[in-house]
Amino acid sequence: PLMSRRYSIDGRDTNTSATTILGLTSAATVRPKIFDIQIYSAATPADNAGEYYFQRYTAAGTATAVTPQTIDTADPVALASAGEAHTVEPTYTANAILLSLGGNQRATLRWLAVPGAELVLPAVAANGVGCLVAQIAGSAVQMSICIHFIE
């Protein structure tokens, strides 16, 4: 069988409610699969909690481009694209939440898929999955997210 090519994207933004911190957008010819997510903050530690939805979207919105990095340097560049710190939010599909994670700013939050249970994006241009801040308790602080995916 073909080996999957592995990539990493990393983005950051203030975790204000209804804000997308990082999004991964498909190309028409690939179905990216998210297999590892890490959420953390380098801000001064405080008791700030957050809930994060990994939700499908049909339009990527406007964001600062993030270049997917190859985990194996022998692999070609990724076909999928990514963006952080959205100024125009993606067009989210109502109730299409693939994963909901909650955590505290004082601790790194990690989700690792069981093989075969990755979050799968469609092979449709401009469609993707974004990390949407559902709600926060406490102050809004800068949060960072690292996503590993395969193509």
Side-chain angles (χ1 to χ4, degrees), residues 13 18-21 23 57 59-64 83-92 132:
D13 198 4
T19 298
T20 300
I21 297 175
Y57 57 74
T62 304
T64 302
E84 69 177 337
H86 287 69
T87 55
V88 175
E89 290 297 313
T91 304
Y92 283 101
L132 178 66

Side-chain angles (χ1 to χ4, degrees), residues 60-84:
T62 304
T64 302
V66 172
T67 302
Q69 299 299 309
T70 57
I71 293 175
D72 181 341
T73 56
D75 285 341
V77 298
L79 297 175
S81 59
E84 69 177 337

Side-chain angles (χ1 to χ4, degrees), residues 11-37:
R12 55 202 40 79
D13 198 4
T14 302
N15 67 335
T16 325
S17 281
T19 298
T20 300
I21 297 175
L22 182 63
L24 176 63
T25 304
S26 294
T29 56
V30 295
R31 296 178 63 212
K33 297 177 182 179
I34 297 171
F35 68 89
D36 190 3
I37 298 168

Side-chain angles (χ1 to χ4, degrees), residues 94-120:
N95 303 314
I97 299 166
L98 303 179
L99 179 67
S100 177
L101 298 173
N104 188 287
Q105 177 197 351
R106 291 182 183 267
T108 297
L109 178 63
R110 185 170 186 202
W111 174 83
L112 187 61
V114 172
E118 300 87 358
L119 306 181
V120 182

